[in-house]
Amino acid sequence: MKAIKVKELNSYLKKIVSMDFLLSNIAVEGEISNFKAHENGNLYFSLKDDFSRINAIIFYKNAINLDFKMEDGLKIIAKGSVNYYEKDSQITLYISEIISHSSGNLYAEFVRLKKKLSKEGLFDPGHKLKIPTFPKTIGIITSASGAAVKDIVNMLKMRNNLANIIIFPSLVQGDDAPSDLIEGIKYFNDREDIDLIILGRGGGSFEDLFCFNDENLAKAIYNSNIPIISAVGHEVDYSISDFVADMRAATPTKAAELAIISKKELSENLKSNYELLNSSLNKIIFDMREKLSNYGNLLRIFCPLKDILVNKDNLKDRFNRLNISLKSSVFNNQKILEYGVKSIKSYDFKIEERKVYLEDKKLTLVSGLSQKINIETNKLNYYYKLLNYNMFQLLRSNSISLKNFKYYLKTYKVSDEILKKNLYLHALESRLKVMDFKTDFRYKKDYLYNKKYILNNLTLNIIKNERNKLNTLIYNLNTLYNDINKVKVYLKDGSLLKDIRQINEGDFLNIHLKNGVAKAQIKDIEGKNYAKRL
């Protein structure tokens, strides 16, 4: 941040002070101190209160108009402007007029009354009436010979000469002025054609304007049923009537400006509003046309009737294909069942053939075993004879002892082989007895019949479910198609039109369509011989 010089800072502060509108014409209340009258006629002193002070000066051309003696301790209300002195960085109040001077009695009375009325709620903003925008008749309470009434009337006629003006002459200065002002307020409130009251006067000293600080006048303004604009003195002058009134105007001329709108302003406002309304309506119409066009395009693209017709054709095609598919499925299942029955019959024949084959095998096996047993029996007999012969030869030759012969008999176990052959034969016979071809055949036959029953039930259930779905789709399609094309007509009382006897010529009807409601009026009824209206 760049630093600036002291001169630049003071110049900037001087510009700020000189450009402030409020500081160019301000009223300051304070007590005189350090008073000094210079030989050139200028008066120098300070204005102070309990918290601060400011330097003040009255130049010779203004000082000669003072009608009282300036001295320390005197309380005044001074009007003037504030100036900033660059060289010494001092702020000085240049006084052009002293609008009040005293030991503070009148001003103290003003402050006391202001506080009292404020506590009583006479300054409450919520009680203030609204100033009418277009008052037809305006009542003015002021001096008939003063400049204020001329300023008010001229400004009202210049701005708008359509309003009626009624003047109530009144005193605006002195002890009798408050009663006159109150009488004017009562007069206008008793009339029924007054829309607005202007109460005021031109500029003057604090004492001259003090009649507008009357308590009874303040209560009369507060109790008025007609809005009141207070315009007392100049912009720096404030009175009790300004705080109680529904609106304060800085001057009587300003009160006239606030009371009525000028024809020029009204014309400009009407023209501006017309252009704004016209522009808004054109924009709304353009937007609505755009929306209508977009909705039309969307309706053409997403029209449900088109989709319904397409879906209806698709549904018919699917229905036909489903019928063909179901017939083909039933035909194929019948073929499968026929093939199963033929297979069962063929299997029965094969079982019979297998049974005969096994019987033949059994006979062959039994015959073979019998032959083999006979062969082995013959072999055993041969060996037995051979053994007897050999034993006889051994005994004759005494070649072996009796003991050795017994041992030989024990070690030569001819009967073991015969025992083995007999066991094998018995086992084979047991296996043939256990095999039950009839039971196995019955089990296979029951199994196939069960499969056939399950297949038939499954096929019937599939056909039934598909038919139910198809019927549901056809019902929903017909219902939706009927709802789309349905038109309902209601009478003005809200009842549904069912008979021509319910209507007469001139009756209003509401036609309810799918996408909106159309209003119609009966102009003519074909045939005049219909029955009397119900």
Side-chain angles (χ1 to χ4, degrees):
M1 180 177 178
K2 184 179 179 181
I4 61 175
K5 296 181 180 180
V6 175
K7 180 180 179 181
E8 294 174 344
L9 175 60
N10 285 342
S11 297
Y12 178 76
L13 293 175
K14 179 176 178 63
K15 290 180 181 180
I16 294 296
V17 173
S18 60
M19 292 172 63
D20 194 318
F21 175 76
L22 294 177
L23 297 179
S24 63
N25 187 12
I26 191 171
V28 182
E29 175 188 0
E31 180 181 337
I32 298 176
S33 65
N34 299 324
F35 175 80
K36 182 179 180 182
H38 199 271
E39 59 184 9
N40 59 6
N42 296 337
L43 304 178
Y44 300 91
F45 54 94
S46 299
L47 282 180
K48 69 174 184 177
D49 55 17
D50 296 335
F51 303 98
S52 185
R53 71 171 59 231
I54 185 173
N55 293 332
I57 182 174
I58 301 178
F59 291 109
Y60 171 74
K61 62 180 181 177
N62 295 321
I64 59 176
N65 296 323
L66 297 177
D67 56 355
F68 62 93
K69 182 180 179 181
M70 298 282 288
E71 60 183 359
D72 290 337
L74 186 65
K75 293 183 179 180
I76 64 172
I77 297 177
K79 179 180 176 182
S81 62
V82 177
N83 190 25
Y84 183 82
Y85 189 59
E86 295 182 52
K87 186 175 182 180
D88 297 327
S89 300
Q90 291 184 357
I91 292 179
T92 304
L93 175 63
Y94 292 115
I95 299 175
S96 59
E97 179 184 4
I98 296 179
I99 59 179
S100 176
H101 65 90
S102 65
S103 58
N105 291 335
L106 289 179
Y107 186 74
E109 177 63 20
F110 170 79
V111 173
R112 182 196 64 77
L113 182 59
K114 180 181 176 183
K115 290 181 179 180
K116 177 185 176 183
L117 297 179
S118 179
K119 289 181 180 179
E120 293 178 0
L122 269 69
F123 303 158
D124 184 10
H127 181 267
K128 296 183 183 299
L129 302 177
K130 183 179 179 181
I131 304 300
T133 306
F134 302 101
K136 295 181 180 179
T137 304
I138 301 174
I140 303 173
I141 304 175
T142 188
S143 173
S145 59
V149 67
K150 296 180 181 180
D151 294 339
I152 294 173
V153 171
N154 291 335
M155 180 58 68
L156 289 176
K157 290 183 177 181
M158 181 179 68
R159 289 177 63 81
N160 193 334
N161 57 3
L162 297 178
N164 296 323
I165 301 173
I166 299 176
I167 300 173
F168 184 89
S170 171
L171 296 175
V172 292
Q173 183 175 339
D175 296 337
D176 297 331
S179 61
D180 269 11
L181 296 172
I182 293 172
E183 185 65 25
I185 294 173
K186 290 181 179 180
Y187 170 75
F188 285 130
N189 274 270
D190 291 338
R191 296 178 60 122
E192 297 180 354
D193 58 341
I194 305 300
D195 299 316
L196 180 64
I197 298 174
I198 297 176
L199 174 69
R201 58 154 290 168
S205 65
F206 186 75
E207 290 82 358
D208 295 339
L209 305 178
F210 201 77
C211 64
F212 289 91
N213 297 325
D214 185 77
E215 182 176 357
N216 293 329
L217 175 62
K219 291 182 178 179
I221 295 173
Y222 181 82
N223 294 324
S224 174
N225 296 322
I226 302 173
I228 297 177
I229 298 177
S230 175
V232 179
H234 297 298
E235 186 172 357
V236 296
D237 300 322
Y238 280 87
S239 62
I240 297 298
S241 63
D242 292 335
F243 296 105
V244 183
D246 300 295
M247 180 179 286
R248 175 189 180 265
T251 62
T253 303
K254 188 66 176 178
E257 293 179 1
L258 296 174
I260 191 169
I261 186 171
S262 68
K263 287 184 178 180
K264 183 178 180 181
E265 291 178 2
L266 183 60
S267 176
E268 291 177 354
N269 290 339
L270 290 175
K271 183 178 180 180
S272 176
N273 291 334
Y274 172 77
E275 293 176 354
L276 180 61
L277 181 61
N278 191 33
S279 176
S280 300
L281 287 175
N282 289 334
K283 185 177 184 305
I284 291 173
I285 293 171
F286 178 78
D287 293 340
M288 294 301 293
R289 286 178 177 173
E290 288 291 326
K291 288 182 180 180
L292 186 61
S293 177
N294 293 333
Y295 289 151
N297 295 332
L298 291 175
L299 185 61
R300 285 191 291 271
I301 296 173
F302 300 104
C303 181
L305 182 60
K306 180 179 178 182
D307 294 339
I308 289 172
L309 294 176
V310 173
N311 291 331
K312 184 178 180 180
D313 295 336
N314 292 336
L315 188 60
K316 288 181 179 179
D317 183 63
R318 290 184 181 182
F319 177 76
N320 294 331
R321 285 188 291 173
L322 181 60
N323 280 334
I324 295 172
S325 176
L326 289 175
K327 291 179 180 179
S328 175
S329 177
V330 171
F331 178 77
N332 292 333
N333 289 331
Q334 289 177 350
K335 291 292 183 182
I336 292 171
L337 289 175
E338 291 176 358
Y339 177 76
V341 171
K342 290 180 180 180
S343 298
I344 290 172
K345 292 180 179 180
S346 176
Y347 189 71
D348 291 341
F349 179 74
K350 288 182 179 181
I351 289 174
E352 291 295 334
E353 289 182 349
R354 191 66 178 173
K355 184 177 180 182
V356 173
Y357 173 76
L358 290 176
E359 289 292 337
D360 292 341
K361 285 293 182 180
K362 180 181 178 181
L363 293 175
T364 303
L365 183 61
V366 172
S367 178
L369 288 174
S370 298
Q371 291 178 2
K372 195 170 183 180
I373 290 171
N374 291 332
I375 293 171
E376 294 297 330
T377 302
N378 292 331
K379 285 183 180 181
L380 288 174
N381 291 333
Y382 172 74
Y383 288 136
Y384 180 75
K385 293 178 180 179
L386 182 61
L387 179 60
N388 288 333
Y389 176 77
N390 290 332
M391 288 174 61
F392 179 75
Q393 294 295 328
L394 288 172
L395 290 173
R396 288 184 60 182
S397 61
N398 294 324
S399 58
I400 56 175
S401 63
L402 182 59
K403 183 178 182 179
N404 291 332
F405 179 73
K406 291 180 178 179
Y407 177 76
Y408 178 75
L409 287 175
K410 292 179 179 180
T411 57
Y412 192 78
K413 299 180 179 179
V414 180
S415 62
D416 289 344
E417 186 175 357
I418 296 171
L419 181 61
K420 289 180 181 180
K421 295 295 184 179
N422 288 328
L423 291 175
Y424 174 75
L425 182 60
H426 286 297
L428 184 59
E429 290 178 354
S430 298
R431 288 180 61 191
L432 290 173
K433 291 180 180 180
V434 170
M435 294 179 64
D436 189 355
F437 294 100
K438 292 184 178 180
T439 303
D440 183 63
F441 172 75
R442 190 182 302 110
Y443 171 75
K444 294 294 185 182
K445 188 176 182 180
D446 292 340
Y447 174 76
L448 290 175
Y449 276 114
N450 289 333
K451 290 295 183 181
K452 178 182 177 181
Y453 177 76
I454 293 172
L455 183 60
N456 285 333
N457 289 337
L458 182 61
T459 303
L460 292 175
N461 288 333
I462 292 173
I463 293 172
K464 184 179 180 180
N465 291 333
E466 293 299 327
R467 284 180 177 173
N468 290 335
K469 290 181 181 178
L470 183 60
N471 291 331
T472 302
L473 289 175
I474 292 173
Y475 175 77
N476 292 336
L477 180 62
N478 291 331
T479 302
L480 182 60
Y481 186 79
N482 292 333
D483 288 339
I484 289 175
N485 293 281
K486 186 179 293 182
V487 177
K488 295 182 178 180
V489 180
Y490 292 90
L491 299 176
K492 189 174 182 181
D493 59 359
S495 60
L496 182 63
L497 177 61
K498 297 181 178 180
D499 197 307
I500 194 68
R501 294 174 295 175
Q502 293 179 255
I503 59 174
N504 284 328
E505 293 182 0
D507 287 355
F508 289 92
L509 301 178
N510 295 326
I511 303 174
H512 289 251
L513 303 174
K514 175 182 177 294
N515 57 348
V517 178
K519 297 183 180 294
Q521 185 179 11
I522 302 300
K523 291 187 177 180
D524 189 18
I525 299 177
E526 294 293 338
K528 300 297 182 178
N529 296 325
Y530 57 87
K532 186 178 181 181
R533 185 175 179 180
L534 297 179

